Amino acid sequence: MTTAVIDVKTHSVISELPVGNTEILSSIFTPDGKLAFVTNSGSTSVSVIDVLTSSVIATLQVGINPFFVAFTADSKLAYVINNGSTSVSVIDVLTNSVTATVQVDEDPSFVAFTPDGKLAYVTNRGSGTVSVIDVKTHCVISTIHLGVGLSVVVFTPDGKLAYVTNINFGTVSVIDVKRHSLISTVQVGLGSFDISFTTNGKLAYVINRGFGNVSVIDAKTHSVISTVPVGFGPSVVAFTPDGKLAYVTNTNSASVSVIDVKTHSVVSTVPVGNFPQDVAISPDGKLAYVTNDAAAGNVFVINVKTHNLIATVPVGFPAGNVAFSPDRKLAYVIQTQ
């Protein structure tokens, strides 16, 4: 498997690293931008890349089938989901060593940290639970039962609430983080998967894969205030840094829908290649990079101001996750299975 490194200034591949295999889309860079952690799904390892030199500096043994990684805001710890081992590996980023292994429930699929970095929430799709981990002790302190099919968890910016999508039931569960208890269930659409908050935390956009639309949730009332039709098989949503636009990849429509967040309406539909997967917005908000899961594999570069396609970068493999380095000079693209 391969990870391609793209120079954002020239939109060209400058390096290829023989690591990586994406199942769940995620950010791979430490918050300080110095390292990239790439999970090697189907194996038992994580590759650590020095961003400055674009070289693999460590290969860490974790659990079976690692496919998601998240970092604490201080860049000190990485949590890796081991789907085949029903566990989470805790990595000390400074020493590149596994310091703890936390057992969770069946089919873990996603992990996110509270904004204050004190807790980690792990969704367990098979058991329908969320494991709450104390980051200081690396112990599970609570288990929240929500229903089989849990996907993604995100926190409101103030850290008081967690929103969890359920792909089987088409719902979003709202959790009180202080009490680790369910306070509301929001009905959205079939195949609800990806979810993201606007930068001000007032709204949550939920991708409904089966319905071909996006549900807009008011985070204050936990109610759907708008439903935005997009393309077939929407997959991922990403907001521009100013919070004015949302980009949605439509896997089965070979397009990207651009949504005006103020009006909750599609203002542009950008044709891209077959099976678009992930989308990432550059830190300066000027570019959107869209990956393509077709056999040849391309990355499509969109001008966010004009919504025009300005470049196509061939990577030579089915492309999944894409992430910009915090200094916006590089983009890393990881091969899918």
Side-chain angles (χ1 to χ4, degrees):
M1 296 298 178
T2 305
T3 295
V5 183
I6 298 175
D7 183 314
V8 174
K9 187 176 181 179
T10 62
H11 310 307
S12 60
V13 175
I14 60 173
S15 180
E16 291 189 358
L17 304 171
V19 296
N21 186 359
T22 300
E23 285 195 22
I24 297 291
L25 305 179
S26 66
S27 178
I28 61 172
F29 292 100
T30 52
D32 61 15
K34 294 180 179 180
L35 300 173
F37 278 49
V38 177
T39 56
N40 299 304
S41 180
S43 71
T44 59
S45 68
V46 173
S47 299
V48 182
I49 301 169
D50 184 308
V51 174
L52 183 63
T53 62
S54 293
S55 60
V56 177
I57 60 172
T59 301
L60 309 180
Q61 293 301 309
V62 288
I64 300 171
N65 196 29
F67 65 61
F68 189 81
V69 60
F71 301 95
T72 51
D74 59 9
S75 297
K76 291 183 178 180
L77 296 175
Y79 271 38
V80 176
I81 292 290
N82 302 310
N83 181 258
S85 298
T86 64
S87 67
V88 176
S89 293
V90 181
I91 297 174
D92 183 312
V93 174
L94 181 64
T95 62
N96 288 328
S97 60
V98 176
T99 58
T101 301
V102 186
Q103 289 300 135
V104 287
D105 283 346
E106 182 184 354
D107 195 18
S109 59
F110 195 87
V111 59
F113 292 99
T114 51
D116 62 10
K118 293 181 178 180
L119 300 173
Y121 272 42
V122 177
T123 58
N124 304 298
R125 185 172 298 179
S127 59
T129 60
V130 173
S131 299
V132 182
I133 301 173
D134 184 312
V135 175
K136 187 176 182 179
T137 63
H138 309 309
C139 293
V140 175
I141 59 172
S142 182
T143 300
I144 307 166
H145 295 266
L146 298 176
V148 175
L150 303 182
S151 297
V152 175
V153 55
V154 295
F155 294 96
T156 51
D158 61 11
K160 293 181 179 180
L161 299 174
Y163 274 39
V164 183
T165 56
N166 189 305
I167 199 167
N168 288 0
F169 296 156
T171 58
V172 173
S173 300
V174 183
I175 298 172
D176 182 315
V177 173
K178 187 176 181 178
R179 297 177 177 82
H180 312 308
S181 60
L182 178 68
I183 61 173
S184 182
T185 300
V186 185
Q187 193 69 45
V188 284
L190 181 65
S192 56
F193 178 69
D194 194 33
I195 181 172
S196 184
F197 280 102
T198 52
T199 50
N200 61 13
K202 293 182 178 180
L203 301 173
Y205 271 42
V206 182
I207 293 292
N208 302 311
R209 286 181 169 177
F211 282 3
N213 60 32
V214 175
S215 296
V216 182
I217 299 176
D218 184 314
K220 186 175 182 179
T221 62
H222 314 310
S223 60
V224 176
I225 60 171
S226 184
T227 301
V228 186
V230 287
F232 295 112
S235 182
V236 174
V237 58
F239 290 100
T240 52
D242 61 11
K244 293 181 178 181
L245 298 173
Y247 273 60
V248 176
T249 55
N250 302 308
T251 300
N252 298 330
S253 294
S255 66
V256 172
S257 297
V258 184
I259 301 172
D260 184 312
V261 174
K262 187 176 181 179
T263 62
H264 310 307
S265 60
V266 175
V267 295
S268 183
T269 300
V270 186
V272 290
N274 292 331
F275 313 117
Q277 294 294 308
D278 195 15
V279 56
I281 311 295
S282 59
D284 60 8
K286 293 181 178 180
L287 301 172
Y289 268 38
V290 180
T291 58
N292 174 283
D293 196 29
N298 291 302
V299 175
F300 298 91
V301 184
I302 300 171
N303 183 311
V304 171
K305 186 176 181 179
T306 64
H307 314 309
N308 290 330
L309 185 66
I310 60 173
T312 301
V313 186
V315 292
F317 54 76
N321 170 243
V322 57
F324 286 97
S325 57
D327 64 5
R328 67 179 183 270
K329 292 182 179 180
L330 302 173
Y332 276 42
V333 179
I334 304 175
Q335 184 173 352
T336 60
Q337 285 189 343

